[in-house]
Amino acid sequence: MGMAMYADGSNVQIFDYNSRQVRLMAQNTEQLLETGPERAMLSGQDWKNLSTVAYTGMDDTDAFKSISTNEIVSYLMMDWMKRYASIFGVLARVEGQPVEQVETEVRAFQHQINEKVGYLRYLWGVHTDQILALQTALEQVRWNGPVVKEFRGVESLQGYPEHYLCTDALFPHVVDSDEGSCDLLFDTHHISITTLRVSIHEELALAIKKELAGYR
């Protein structure tokens, strides 16, 4: 696993490498908590600390340590590690993309995911007049990847394969039944997919596959 680089070509120190991921975790946590009543599980000081971490990462050690002890925040940060850390790691340390670019790519992807989690919870509430708990909503998401896939370039006369790091997040639909009940359904007619596709160098495909295996 190589050294992460900034856009100017200099090396990223391990503290900043980790701090950038913590910043993404905190931003992800803020977005998810805003989708439902779980935000009430944080005190005013908790929200202040979370906002600080979302902006500065681990620069404010006290804020980071304090908010990490909150049960729902700890759960969401661990969930982030499970879903996004491998993507961040292979793109920054194996593919060699500038860490600023990787941070932007992961932030955009997680924001799309969180918008759909919020919409799913909203629809469930509209259909049932009940709250779909945040943890339950997150457990509904089916993840494919991250994996390395090959696609044939349509503009390539030779048809050489192009390699991508791919992750799919599949969401169910809230569907009313004929009996008047409501359910979350996964099938060809009731599914929504959010996709990440990041082009990678062909010569690094095997190394990325090996690195991904280490996260499992």
Side-chain angles (χ1 to χ4, degrees):
M1 186 166 64
M3 175 70 73
M5 308 288 288
Y6 291 112
D8 64 5
S10 60
N11 292 339
V12 178
Q13 299 304 309
I14 189 67
F15 179 85
D16 189 46
Y17 177 81
N18 291 333
S19 187
R20 286 172 180 268
Q21 293 186 75
V22 167
R23 186 163 58 196
L24 288 171
M25 287 183 210
Q27 293 167 7
N28 183 67
T29 299
E30 284 184 317
Q31 292 165 11
L32 288 172
L33 289 174
E34 290 290 353
T35 68
E38 290 84 2
R39 57 183 175 268
M41 297 175 66
L42 274 67
S43 67
Q45 185 60 49
D46 285 338
W47 273 110
K48 182 178 179 180
N49 288 335
L50 183 60
S51 178
T52 297
V53 175
Y55 184 71
T56 66
M58 296 191 301
D59 288 352
D60 189 325
T61 306
D62 291 338
F64 174 63
K65 287 182 178 179
S66 177
I67 198 59
S68 298
T69 64
N70 181 280
E71 183 178 359
I72 186 65
V73 171
S74 177
Y75 166 79
L76 292 174
M77 285 189 166
M78 291 302 297
D79 189 70
W80 187 95
M81 289 294 295
K82 182 166 59 175
R83 304 303 179 191
Y84 300 102
S86 58
I87 298 171
F88 193 101
V90 297
L91 291 178
R93 300 178 71 96
V94 182
E95 169 65 11
Q97 291 190 11
V99 70
E100 300 95 334
Q101 178 179 330
V102 175
E103 190 174 2
T104 298
E105 289 167 339
V106 173
R107 180 183 294 112
F109 184 52
Q110 71 184 33
H111 182 69
Q112 293 178 59
I113 300 295
N114 296 339
E115 282 192 326
K116 287 198 172 180
V117 169
Y119 189 56
L120 181 66
R121 301 186 76 190
Y122 166 76
L123 288 179
W124 183 261
V126 168
H127 282 257
T128 67
D129 289 325
Q130 298 176 346
I131 294 171
L132 183 64
L134 179 54
Q135 184 172 350
T136 303
L138 291 173
E139 289 172 350
Q140 303 307 311
V141 184
R142 298 184 183 178
W143 293 83
N144 292 330
V147 295
V148 175
K149 292 184 179 180
E150 295 181 7
F151 298 97
R152 294 287 173 177
V154 295
E155 297 181 356
S156 173
L157 296 178
Q158 294 82 10
Y160 292 135
E162 299 173 357
H163 291 75
Y164 292 85
L165 179 71
C166 303
T167 301
D168 296 317
L170 289 68
F171 293 81
H173 284 195
V174 181
V175 180
D176 293 319
S177 71
D178 295 336
E179 294 77 23
S181 61
C182 192
D183 203 354
L184 296 168
L185 297 185
F186 270 109
D187 58 45
T188 54
H189 301 292
H190 306 102
I191 195 169
S192 176
I193 304 176
T194 297
T195 298
L196 176 72
R197 296 283 186 272
V198 181
S199 178
I200 60 173
H201 292 90
E202 178 182 359
E203 62 271 18
L204 295 174
L206 181 58
I208 290 176
K209 289 178 181 179
K210 290 181 178 179
E211 184 70 18
L212 288 173
Y215 282 94
R216 298 190 180 100

